[in-house]
Amino acid sequence: MGLELYLDLLSQPCRAIYIFAKKNGIPFELRIVDLIKGQHLSDAFAQVNPLKKVPALKDGDFTLSESVAILLYLTHKYKAPDHWYPQDLQARARVDEYLAWQHTTLRRSCLRALWHKMMFPVFLGEPMSPQTLAATLAELDVNLQLLEDKFLQNKAFLAGPHISLADLVAITELMHPVGAGCQVFEGRPKLAAWRNRVEAAVGEDLFREAHEIILKAKDFPPADPTTKQKLMPWILAMIQ
């Protein structure tokens, strides 16, 4: 059995891995793990990833979890072009710096924006207080400003003149609040221009394909009571 990627494109790190693999012509078998149906919580999936999270990778007898680890594994195994994860020490350090920062900052605020603004009221039927939503969107705004001022600055891409893993991870995060109806790029021309460059670098068709599910998330049917009960502990832990 060749390379298998266990993904749900509702998930932002899954989208990053999907785009990277497709863009670099990496052959893989796509194994869909439907988060909304709770398939990641099943005993069957736990055999692949005991953490019960996507993404996950299986390469023969070797399994791997955690999106950054998977991206780096694919980069090294398939000898991806240097710009994704540069050999130059300082350029690579810039990619590493962003990947280390984003886990508890931009990822958290983008995830919370999606769930607080749309998924709780629409999918779960749980109203969100205006105060909670306002605080979530304010936190998102702070992290967007940090992304722009600290990481993007006046460069074409986050780590320099060429697209890298940092840009791919960042853009897939930002499409979460976009899917919830947040005007992430409005009033931020520098960030909007960067988004256009990233989309052009990966290809508009691939970018659109990877984000089709998140951009249609508002049309998800409401969760039935059994699914809601099954997912709620996972959701609450995820967005803390």
PDB file of all heavy atoms in Angstrom, residues 225-238:
ATOM      1  N   PRO A 225     -29.747  15.242  17.268  1.00  0.00           N
ATOM      2  CA  PRO A 225     -29.396  15.197  18.696  1.00  0.00           C
ATOM      3  C   PRO A 225     -28.298  14.198  19.046  1.00  0.00           C
ATOM      4  O   PRO A 225     -27.437  14.485  19.876  1.00  0.00           O
ATOM      5  CB  PRO A 225     -30.724  14.824  19.369  1.00  0.00           C
ATOM      6  CG  PRO A 225     -31.774  15.321  18.428  1.00  0.00           C
ATOM      7  CD  PRO A 225     -31.208  15.130  17.048  1.00  0.00           C
ATOM      8  N   THR A 226     -28.311  13.029  18.401  1.00  0.00           N
ATOM      9  CA  THR A 226     -27.292  12.020  18.704  1.00  0.00           C
ATOM     10  C   THR A 226     -25.905  12.489  18.281  1.00  0.00           C
ATOM     11  O   THR A 226     -24.922  12.362  19.033  1.00  0.00           O
ATOM     12  CB  THR A 226     -27.631  10.693  17.992  1.00  0.00           C
ATOM     13  OG1 THR A 226     -28.916  10.248  18.417  1.00  0.00           O
ATOM     14  CG2 THR A 226     -26.595   9.626  18.304  1.00  0.00           C
ATOM     15  N   THR A 227     -25.819  13.052  17.079  1.00  0.00           N
ATOM     16  CA  THR A 227     -24.539  13.564  16.585  1.00  0.00           C
ATOM     17  C   THR A 227     -24.058  14.723  17.448  1.00  0.00           C
ATOM     18  O   THR A 227     -22.870  14.810  17.783  1.00  0.00           O
ATOM     19  CB  THR A 227     -24.679  14.020  15.122  1.00  0.00           C
ATOM     20  OG1 THR A 227     -25.086  12.905  14.316  1.00  0.00           O
ATOM     21  CG2 THR A 227     -23.371  14.571  14.588  1.00  0.00           C
ATOM     22  N   LYS A 228     -24.979  15.589  17.807  1.00  0.00           N
ATOM     23  CA  LYS A 228     -24.618  16.732  18.644  1.00  0.00           C
ATOM     24  C   LYS A 228     -24.035  16.275  19.978  1.00  0.00           C
ATOM     25  O   LYS A 228     -23.004  16.788  20.432  1.00  0.00           O
ATOM     26  CB  LYS A 228     -25.851  17.608  18.865  1.00  0.00           C
ATOM     27  CG  LYS A 228     -25.605  18.833  19.718  1.00  0.00           C
ATOM     28  CD  LYS A 228     -26.881  19.673  19.817  1.00  0.00           C
ATOM     29  CE  LYS A 228     -26.707  20.835  20.761  1.00  0.00           C
ATOM     30  NZ  LYS A 228     -27.928  21.668  20.850  1.00  0.00           N
ATOM     31  N   GLN A 229     -24.674  15.309  20.597  1.00  0.00           N
ATOM     32  CA  GLN A 229     -24.192  14.796  21.880  1.00  0.00           C
ATOM     33  C   GLN A 229     -22.815  14.144  21.726  1.00  0.00           C
ATOM     34  O   GLN A 229     -21.942  14.287  22.596  1.00  0.00           O
ATOM     35  CB  GLN A 229     -25.193  13.787  22.441  1.00  0.00           C
ATOM     36  CG  GLN A 229     -24.821  13.260  23.830  1.00  0.00           C
ATOM     37  CD  GLN A 229     -25.877  12.292  24.355  1.00  0.00           C
ATOM     38  OE1 GLN A 229     -26.638  11.704  23.595  1.00  0.00           O
ATOM     39  NE2 GLN A 229     -25.932  12.135  25.669  1.00  0.00           N
ATOM     40  N   LYS A 230     -22.609  13.467  20.631  1.00  0.00           N
ATOM     41  CA  LYS A 230     -21.340  12.776  20.369  1.00  0.00           C
ATOM     42  C   LYS A 230     -20.202  13.778  20.138  1.00  0.00           C
ATOM     43  O   LYS A 230     -19.077  13.588  20.623  1.00  0.00           O
ATOM     44  CB  LYS A 230     -21.514  11.874  19.145  1.00  0.00           C
ATOM     45  CG  LYS A 230     -20.270  11.095  18.748  1.00  0.00           C
ATOM     46  CD  LYS A 230     -20.593  10.238  17.522  1.00  0.00           C
ATOM     47  CE  LYS A 230     -19.396   9.413  17.079  1.00  0.00           C
ATOM     48  NZ  LYS A 230     -19.710   8.592  15.876  1.00  0.00           N
ATOM     49  N   LEU A 231     -20.507  14.860  19.412  1.00  0.00           N
ATOM     50  CA  LEU A 231     -19.470  15.805  19.008  1.00  0.00           C
ATOM     51  C   LEU A 231     -19.165  16.872  20.049  1.00  0.00           C
ATOM     52  O   LEU A 231     -18.057  17.423  20.062  1.00  0.00           O
ATOM     53  CB  LEU A 231     -19.882  16.500  17.701  1.00  0.00           C
ATOM     54  CG  LEU A 231     -19.930  15.656  16.429  1.00  0.00           C
ATOM     55  CD1 LEU A 231     -20.406  16.507  15.268  1.00  0.00           C
ATOM     56  CD2 LEU A 231     -18.555  15.060  16.117  1.00  0.00           C
ATOM     57  N   MET A 232     -20.125  17.184  20.908  1.00  0.00           N
ATOM     58  CA  MET A 232     -19.982  18.353  21.770  1.00  0.00           C
ATOM     59  C   MET A 232     -18.725  18.339  22.639  1.00  0.00           C
ATOM     60  O   MET A 232     -18.019  19.362  22.719  1.00  0.00           O
ATOM     61  CB  MET A 232     -21.230  18.540  22.624  1.00  0.00           C
ATOM     62  CG  MET A 232     -21.263  19.889  23.349  1.00  0.00           C
ATOM     63  SD  MET A 232     -21.264  21.300  22.205  1.00  0.00           S
ATOM     64  CE  MET A 232     -23.011  21.421  21.834  1.00  0.00           C
ATOM     65  N   PRO A 233     -18.386  17.231  23.307  1.00  0.00           N
ATOM     66  CA  PRO A 233     -17.148  17.252  24.115  1.00  0.00           C
ATOM     67  C   PRO A 233     -15.909  17.557  23.267  1.00  0.00           C
ATOM     68  O   PRO A 233     -15.016  18.288  23.703  1.00  0.00           O
ATOM     69  CB  PRO A 233     -17.091  15.845  24.714  1.00  0.00           C
ATOM     70  CG  PRO A 233     -18.518  15.373  24.702  1.00  0.00           C
ATOM     71  CD  PRO A 233     -19.105  15.952  23.458  1.00  0.00           C
ATOM     72  N   TRP A 234     -15.843  16.966  22.069  1.00  0.00           N
ATOM     73  CA  TRP A 234     -14.723  17.215  21.170  1.00  0.00           C
ATOM     74  C   TRP A 234     -14.688  18.686  20.746  1.00  0.00           C
ATOM     75  O   TRP A 234     -13.611  19.317  20.747  1.00  0.00           O
ATOM     76  CB  TRP A 234     -14.837  16.300  19.952  1.00  0.00           C
ATOM     77  CG  TRP A 234     -13.974  16.709  18.803  1.00  0.00           C
ATOM     78  CD1 TRP A 234     -12.614  16.656  18.730  1.00  0.00           C
ATOM     79  CD2 TRP A 234     -14.413  17.252  17.547  1.00  0.00           C
ATOM     80  NE1 TRP A 234     -12.173  17.127  17.505  1.00  0.00           N
ATOM     81  CE2 TRP A 234     -13.262  17.501  16.766  1.00  0.00           C
ATOM     82  CE3 TRP A 234     -15.675  17.535  17.009  1.00  0.00           C
ATOM     83  CZ2 TRP A 234     -13.330  18.022  15.469  1.00  0.00           C
ATOM     84  CZ3 TRP A 234     -15.736  18.066  15.726  1.00  0.00           C
ATOM     85  CH2 TRP A 234     -14.578  18.310  14.974  1.00  0.00           C
ATOM     86  N   ILE A 235     -15.840  19.247  20.400  1.00  0.00           N
ATOM     87  CA  ILE A 235     -15.894  20.641  19.947  1.00  0.00           C
ATOM     88  C   ILE A 235     -15.458  21.583  21.058  1.00  0.00           C
ATOM     89  O   ILE A 235     -14.650  22.497  20.838  1.00  0.00           O
ATOM     90  CB  ILE A 235     -17.324  20.977  19.464  1.00  0.00           C
ATOM     91  CG1 ILE A 235     -17.651  20.208  18.182  1.00  0.00           C
ATOM     92  CG2 ILE A 235     -17.450  22.490  19.223  1.00  0.00           C
ATOM     93  CD1 ILE A 235     -19.111  20.231  17.796  1.00  0.00           C
ATOM     94  N   LEU A 236     -15.972  21.380  22.244  1.00  0.00           N
ATOM     95  CA  LEU A 236     -15.627  22.272  23.355  1.00  0.00           C
ATOM     96  C   LEU A 236     -14.143  22.198  23.686  1.00  0.00           C
ATOM     97  O   LEU A 236     -13.513  23.227  23.987  1.00  0.00           O
ATOM     98  CB  LEU A 236     -16.483  21.914  24.589  1.00  0.00           C
ATOM     99  CG  LEU A 236     -17.979  22.186  24.441  1.00  0.00           C
ATOM    100  CD1 LEU A 236     -18.731  21.687  25.684  1.00  0.00           C
ATOM    101  CD2 LEU A 236     -18.262  23.663  24.190  1.00  0.00           C
ATOM    102  N   ALA A 237     -13.573  21.004  23.621  1.00  0.00           N
ATOM    103  CA  ALA A 237     -12.142  20.864  23.876  1.00  0.00           C
ATOM    104  C   ALA A 237     -11.319  21.540  22.766  1.00  0.00           C
ATOM    105  O   ALA A 237     -10.290  22.177  23.035  1.00  0.00           O
ATOM    106  CB  ALA A 237     -11.766  19.392  23.974  1.00  0.00           C
ATOM    107  N   MET A 238     -11.799  21.441  21.549  1.00  0.00           N
ATOM    108  CA  MET A 238     -11.079  21.968  20.396  1.00  0.00           C
ATOM    109  C   MET A 238     -10.985  23.493  20.408  1.00  0.00           C
ATOM    110  O   MET A 238      -9.951  24.070  20.027  1.00  0.00           O
ATOM    111  CB  MET A 238     -11.770  21.486  19.109  1.00  0.00           C
ATOM    112  CG  MET A 238     -11.173  22.005  17.824  1.00  0.00           C
ATOM    113  SD  MET A 238     -12.040  21.350  16.376  1.00  0.00           S
ATOM    114  CE  MET A 238     -13.693  22.013  16.582  1.00  0.00           C
TER     115      MET A 238
END
